[in-house]
Amino acid sequence: MLTDSFGRVATDLRVSLTDRCSLRCSYCMPADGLDWLPGPALLTDGEVTRLISVAVRRLGITEVRFTGGEPLLRRGLPGLVAATAALDPRPEISLTTNGIGLARLAGPLQAAGLDRLNVSLDTLSRETFVTLARRDRLPDVLAGLAAAAAAGLTPVKVNAVLLRGINDHEAPALLRFCLDRGYQLRFIEQMPLDAQHGWRRADMVTADEILASLSAEFTLTADDPGLRGSAPAERFLVAGGPAHVGVIGSVTRPFCGSCDRVRLTADGQIRNCLFATAETDLRTPLRAGASDDDLAALWRRAVAVKLPGHGINDPGFLQPARPMSAIGG
Ligand code: SAM
Ligand code: SF4
């Protein structure tokens, strides 16, 4: 088991497959000028599979989520999903993607063993999409969403980040869009993880604001908090149900006390928190011939020292050096 000193157990592994991306969302990446990880630093498909296997067979990981950067850019993704699905015990396998390329890949990924996915969609306006993601790709994202549903990767989940003055008026429209198609929508508060360190608390659209905006058009009823478990989203029944909407108040309503996550970066570093300032290198020992036992021991130690919280609201908070795209969201 991956247990920390506060008794939390990590069972959910986020695997970043690349720091590259087909978009340049302003809350994540700069318009240009971000160095990529050099090729030799990246774990190969075989190395990724070996580490996932150690996590699942020896460390109690029951859920593996592929992310990035944009994981659909990784050519070996269907093979990585298939190798993960072949593990015993078989973990739940999910994906977080911007949806570009999903129209082609949803079927092969489902066939390889993918169970679920989250597609990021912040706006329904093509113009706003270009402002926010700096690429004219909204039609590709919408096609990807439809393909995921058609391939049976249901329920399709949608992640949305609202930015003040850009798309913060779109919460009700995004919810209506998702309700009409049977997608499950979750809003995520913007976190200080952008490469350019431009996050400002005053600019962040808070969970309270998101709920107020939704409540102007929908009747929301909060789920029993006892049902939440380690899920980061607070869930609300929409208009009496059965549909829900989620709000992830990472900054104003932190859920660190029930966090069950651990991250593996594309260059083989373990991060025990999105906001960790230290990492544990597994790539070097892996390439030097470490045994599964050695790797599991290093991994356990990395999680054991996890801090109680992300500290964003502390005066001494320091944003991690790596941006979200290189950590794995
Ligand atoms: N490229 C994929 C995507 O966009 O879904 C996967 C990686 S992305 C880093 C994962 C999630 O993190 C996305 O839903 C994205 O909106 C979210 N994200 C990125 N930067 C963020 C930030 N600064 N605050 C909150 N969420 C952020
Ligand atoms: Fe790319 Fe995802 Fe970051 Fe947007 S949020 S730039 S899609 S990694």
Side-chain angles (χ1 to χ4, degrees):
M1 299 268 267
L2 289 169
T3 312
D4 68 33
S5 63
F6 300 93
R8 293 168 298 187
V9 181
T11 53
D12 178 346
L13 172 63
R14 311 263 150 156
V15 181
S16 174
L17 295 177
T18 177
D19 57 333
R20 298 182 185 231
C21 191
S22 41
L23 295 178
R24 288 248 166 194
C25 304
S26 60
Y27 49 74
C28 183
M29 293 175 102
D32 42 34
L34 185 64
D35 288 341
W36 305 128
L37 290 168
L42 293 180
L43 297 180
T44 63
D45 288 357
E47 289 170 336
V48 172
T49 301
R50 165 102 187 273
L51 291 179
I52 292 175
S53 147
V54 168
V56 168
R57 292 187 300 109
R58 292 173 185 256
L59 296 170
I61 289 294
T62 56
E63 216 181 319
V64 175
R65 174 173 293 271
F66 292 106
T67 180
E70 178 42 51
L72 295 185
L73 294 179
R74 177 105 181 198
R75 237 176 306 161
L77 179 62
L80 287 166
V81 169
T84 306
L87 292 173
D88 186 14
R90 182 199 189 286
E92 284 276 299
I93 307 170
S94 56
L95 176 75
T96 302
T97 172
N98 64 25
I100 296 172
L102 194 55
R104 183 173 57 82
L105 280 165
L109 287 171
Q110 195 276 339
L114 186 70
D115 296 308
R116 296 177 277 116
L117 50 66
N118 291 45
V119 178
S120 302
L121 175 72
D122 304 325
T123 177
L124 297 168
S125 148
R126 197 160 170 170
E127 264 189 348
T128 307
F129 192 95
V130 175
T131 305
L132 215 151
R134 303 185 177 110
R135 301 285 186 273
D136 187 14
R137 305 297 297 271
L138 178 62
D140 303 83
V141 178
L142 298 180
L145 271 166
L153 291 165
T154 48
V156 172
K157 291 191 179 174
V158 171
N159 292 351
V161 177
L162 297 180
L163 300 187
R164 197 174 299 289
I166 297 179
N167 63 338
D168 53 342
H169 57 289
E170 284 199 65
L174 282 164
L175 180 53
R176 200 164 304 112
F177 172 87
C178 288
L179 291 175
D180 287 350
R181 289 159 184 79
Y183 306 156
Q184 291 184 2
L185 176 62
R186 305 159 351 139
F187 292 93
I188 309 173
E189 275 181 350
Q190 186 192 358
M191 296 177 277
L193 286 171
D194 55 310
Q196 58 279 30
H197 290 215
W199 182 89
R200 299 285 171 271
R201 180 175 298 273
D203 291 341
M204 178 185 59
V205 181
T206 63
D208 283 351
E209 289 175 293
I210 297 165
L211 288 169
S213 167
L214 291 172
S215 300
E217 296 195 28
F218 297 93
T219 306
L220 302 183
T221 317
D223 266 5
D224 176 354
L227 298 174
R228 188 171 168 195
S230 59
E234 285 176 66
R235 298 204 331 151
F236 299 84
L237 210 56
V238 181
H244 281 85
V245 64
V247 178
I248 305 184
S250 323
V251 179
T252 63
R253 304 177 179 197
F255 39 86
C256 303
S258 58
C259 177
D260 63 355
R261 295 173 183 191
V262 61
R263 292 181 154 79
L264 174 64
T265 65
D267 56 348
Q269 313 296 305
I270 297 296
R271 296 180 62 89
N272 59 25
C273 172
L274 262 181
F275 294 92
T277 49
E279 300 180 338
T280 299
D281 179 19
L282 291 191
R283 187 190 66 214
T284 305
L286 173 70
R287 290 185 180 170
S291 67
D292 284 1
D293 275 348
D294 297 337
L295 294 167
L298 284 167
W299 205 321
R300 274 193 207 96
R301 238 171 286 150
V303 171
V305 296
K306 177 166 169 154
L307 294 175
H310 55 44
I312 300 174
N313 301 310
D314 300 344
F317 172 72
L318 277 184
Q319 183 171 336
R322 287 205 207 224
M324 184 69 134
S325 56
I327 294 171

